[in-house]
Amino acid sequence: MCYYPDLTVISGRNRIIESTPKNELGRLQEKVDRLSSLIEVGAIISSSLDLDEVLRLVMALARKVMAAEACSILLLNEETNQLEFELTLGAETEVRRTLKEKIRLDLGQGVAGWSALHRESVLVEDARTDDRVYTGADEATGFRTRSLIAVPLINKDELIGVAEVINPISKDGFNQADLELFETFCRQVAIAVDNARFHQAYLAQQRLSEQLGAAASIQRSFLPSPLNGEEEDSFHLEAVSLPAMEVGGDLYDYFMLPGRRLAVLIGDVAGKGVGAALYMARVVSEFRYLARLLTDPGAVINQLNDSLAEGTEFGMFITGVYWLLDLDRGVVSYCNAGHIPSLLKRAEDGRVELIETLAGPPLGIFPEMDYKTSRLQIGPGDSILMLTDGVIEAWDAERAHYGYDRLIELVRSVSGDQSTVARIIEEVQGYVGGAEQTDDLTLLEMTWLGDGNGRQEVDPDRAEDPEGDSVELDISLGPRMMGVVRRVSERMSGLAGLSTEETNGFRLAVDEACTNVLRHAYGGDESRRLRISFDLNDDRLQVKLHDFGVGFDPDRIVPHDPSALVPGGLGFHLIRTVMDEIDYSHSATEGNTLTLTKLLAERGAD
Amino acid sequence: MSLDIQVENRSGATIISVKGEVDLYSSPGLRQEIKRQTKKKPAVLIVELSQVDYMDSSGVATLVEGLKNLTRKKGSLRLAGLTEPVQQVFKFAHLDKVFDIFEDLEGALG
């Protein structure tokens, strides 16, 4: 370390040394030059908002005006609280790189550090006699500092950095007049740097905002379009989603599936912003595909979970509920993956209750979870209110658990001609007051209006013969339900006037057909549903078994060959022995239908 | 809906008496019992079905398996007391000539 015993040359109280007095004309010329430089700085400031460009132009001008060998600008890194060489002009490339990459000055260290710490300009007329000079830079670069001026760059009371000019070209050292000029110059530089920085931040903000805008529009494009069609008579849907930021983490989707079934999805992605929006887009598109492929909500959710869990979006997951409403019967099948409970409002007495669910974990975390389908019978006018936690937490500022109580009370108080969704939004916003919405908030109300007239139109069998007797079962194929199926078979056979022997056969055939579905279409899963309908007309007793296929593995959804259903084909052989007609149809979206017909020809004539 | 299954030995024969409906759910219980008795290599194993008013193909398959296994062990599997619906299943399955079918337990023992 160098030590200079003679020091103390600080701005304001230093000697002015004019080694070679200039003549009057020369001095005037110099003043004009310097003044015009200052005007030029002003021009640069207003001409460019690019930080690098501003610094380069301003410092080039500084070097020229100050007639300096080199000049540097050091900016304060607010994180480390150190000064870094942002730009150096006049030195060799190698020197510039060393300064920029290797040299960091603490506040107080060296002349620049001293200037920054004390927010005062420093004039070092002779570096050899000033011990504030940091020799590390010279040692590292091989540059030799004779004289320098350091001026703090301060704008709006904020320290931005320090500007330095080093070694006057035409004289031994800088003087007080040089210092004053450089100070004036640097005030402008500070403003320029500040402007450029502000602009840079603004540009970054704008870029982000553009990205968000794009993400938001992608997200909007995934919102379902309004449904229209004759099914509209059978239900009413109302949805509102208010993202806390431009791009939200909530999603909902709805569409009609074949067989007059309404599919509705509500979900909440953990996380917000662009990543969450893209994840959502993936969830929605896979859901739309799977819901058409598989019938059972549990099967759809299981498949969706496996697919998301295999994905690469680290740490992303989603909670959600898939609802499937049978518009003919008011049967709601649903599967909940870690989502908060929904409400059911009964039209009959205005009762509002939480819908209990067998909720599995959120989707996309662990593969091969066993999500279960729950079922719920609703009546005409009953509605299901789905929500995301933004609704509950808005009321739950102290994280106390009274959010649901308030919500239930509110939903109960909404009269028939009011919109529940609108009332809740109103209430939440009133409750939150002026506070910024912190969580996305989504509400969706699904009301079943009853089966309307649709049923006659969609079921041609019934339309053909309104006089016929029919029974429809929607069951899980457990041991007790198999007994029920046999009893119903016996009774229908009896109503058809079949003999005891024929009844035994009919019962056996129906049982065998059910057993086939359980063993081969459902892989022995007794929780899966099977729809069985018995139709008795004048000339025939017909039974239709509607199953929803293999379900858990879309690759395996193939029409199963009825003759291959039972090892040895005994079950199918029995069916064929008993029944007069066997018809089999397969649909990827609707599952499989096996229709067994027993003809009653002679009786029809009697 | 499980089956009620009783086992007794009489006059050198093993008798499995079954009560209930034999279907996909209940037939495994019957299968297990037939296997257990077959291991003891009885000369005669009688499955008494007078209180079975329903049997499906899984019940038939269970009995076919028992017949095969016991025949291999030089034993004789006999069915006794078939109700009308059960007789019918065997007839539909064309198995009524394959099994030794007796009207009642006494006939099967005799």
Side-chain angles (χ1 to χ4, degrees), chain A residues 233-289:
Chain A
D233 296 341
S234 304
F235 68 89
H236 179 72
L237 264 186
E238 202 171 337
V240 168
S241 190
L242 302 174
M245 303 194 300
E246 193 156 7
V247 181
D250 285 358
L251 64 89
Y252 66 89
D253 196 16
Y254 52 78
F255 44 84
M256 287 304 304
L257 286 173
R260 287 176 42 82
R261 290 170 303 138
L262 172 66
V264 177
L265 177 73
I266 186 164
D268 186 351
V269 174
K272 293 181 178 59
V274 180
L278 292 174
Y279 190 72
M280 250 165 74
R282 182 170 162 213
V283 169
V284 170
S285 53
E286 296 212 13
F287 168 72
R288 286 178 185 178
Y289 168 72

Side-chain angles (χ1 to χ4, degrees), chain A residues 477-479 482-483 486-487 500-502 504-505 507-508 511-512 515 518-519 526 570-571 573-574 577-578, chain B residues 1 21-26 53-58 60-61 64 84-86 88-95:
Chain A
L477 283 175
M482 268 323 300
R486 289 198 288 267
R487 300 293 91 78
T500 310
E501 197 180 319
E502 285 170 317
N504 289 339
R507 179 181 62 178
L508 179 67
D511 177 296
E512 294 294 343
T515 302
L518 178 64
R519 290 166 66 174
E526 294 176 14
L570 181 56
H573 167 77
L574 294 175
T577 305
V578 171
Chain B
M1 225 179 241
E21 299 192 341
V22 183
D23 65 6
L24 186 68
Y25 303 99
S26 60
D53 48 17
Y54 181 80
M55 182 179 287
D56 73 358
S57 62
S58 68
V60 173
V64 169
E84 196 194 315
V86 177
Q88 236 179 291
V89 181
F90 279 91
K91 205 188 287 173
F92 288 151
H94 304 297
L95 291 168

Side-chain angles (χ1 to χ4, degrees), chain A residues 540-551:
Chain A
R540 62 186 60 210
L541 174 58
Q542 200 169 55
V543 55
K544 282 185 183 170
L545 280 85
H546 188 76
D547 73 67
F548 302 113
V550 173

Side-chain angles (χ1 to χ4, degrees), chain A residues 498-530:
Chain A
L498 293 177
S499 70
T500 310
E501 197 180 319
E502 285 170 317
T503 297
N504 289 339
F506 182 76
R507 179 181 62 178
L508 179 67
V510 174
D511 177 296
E512 294 294 343
C514 291
T515 302
N516 282 346
V517 170
L518 178 64
R519 290 166 66 174
H520 301 283
Y522 288 170
D525 181 354
E526 294 176 14
S527 68
R528 305 284 306 277
R529 309 291 287 194
L530 173 68

